Amino acid sequence: MDPELDSEQMSEVFEEVSNYFSLLSEPTRLKILHALCHGERTVGAIVGEIGATQANVSRQLNMLYRARILGRRKEGAQVYYRIEDQNTIALCRTVCSQMAEKVKNSRRMGQGAIHGFMGTDA
């Protein structure tokens, strides 16, 4: 952090960080970001890929767009969304990779516990 920020400025920074993480705390938004990591998509393609309703996807896309994480363009009746903020994607990839490893390890430990409980080798 910048040592020249005063207490009021630091509070403002922390508020913005809190809002940013709050935006990323919704699973549907993370699914949308994951879908868009593979390139620009239409709203309909995103709906099909993540299995959510069009109304919900549109609402989440709008929030990500207003936060400047996503960009969009209109071509005829279609609206295409793309990743604008690569820093957000890097952060999400880091955290998702770490969580995926925890899930994988947790499942391995869970299977070992089941085998141990049943009297078989893990």
Side-chain angles (χ1 to χ4, degrees):
M1 296 290 301
D2 189 339
E4 296 185 19
L5 293 177
D6 65 25
S7 178
E8 188 176 321
Q9 291 169 319
M10 289 298 292
S11 291
E12 187 177 336
V13 167
F14 292 140
E15 185 69 29
E16 289 298 317
V17 170
S18 175
N19 291 337
Y20 179 78
F21 282 117
S22 177
L23 184 68
L24 297 177
S25 70
E26 209 286 323
T28 301
R29 288 185 217 127
L30 295 174
K31 290 176 185 177
I32 289 169
L33 292 174
H34 181 262
L36 291 173
C37 281
H38 305 294
E40 187 178 67
R41 301 270 192 280
T42 63
V43 175
I46 296 167
V47 167
E49 191 168 331
I50 70 169
T53 66
Q54 179 152 353
N56 189 25
V57 168
S58 292
R59 183 172 43 256
Q60 306 305 335
L61 284 167
N62 192 41
M63 291 177 81
L64 292 166
Y65 174 76
R66 285 191 325 234
R68 297 187 185 116
I69 293 171
L70 299 181
R72 67 182 175 199
R73 69 179 175 87
K74 192 167 184 173
E75 190 174 295
Q78 298 288 336
V79 178
Y80 290 82
Y81 283 87
R82 67 188 174 281
I83 302 293
E84 282 291 313
D85 182 359
Q86 294 302 317
N87 291 325
T88 296
I89 298 309
L91 175 66
C92 287
R93 282 186 175 139
T94 299
V95 173
C96 286
S97 294
Q98 190 175 26
M99 292 301 112
E101 194 62 33
K102 283 186 176 187
V103 167
K104 198 168 32 171
N105 289 338
S106 172
R107 287 192 176 161
R108 270 192 227 124
M109 288 181 351
Q111 289 173 348
I114 291 170
H115 289 294
F117 176 75
M118 297 175 76
T120 60
D121 292 334

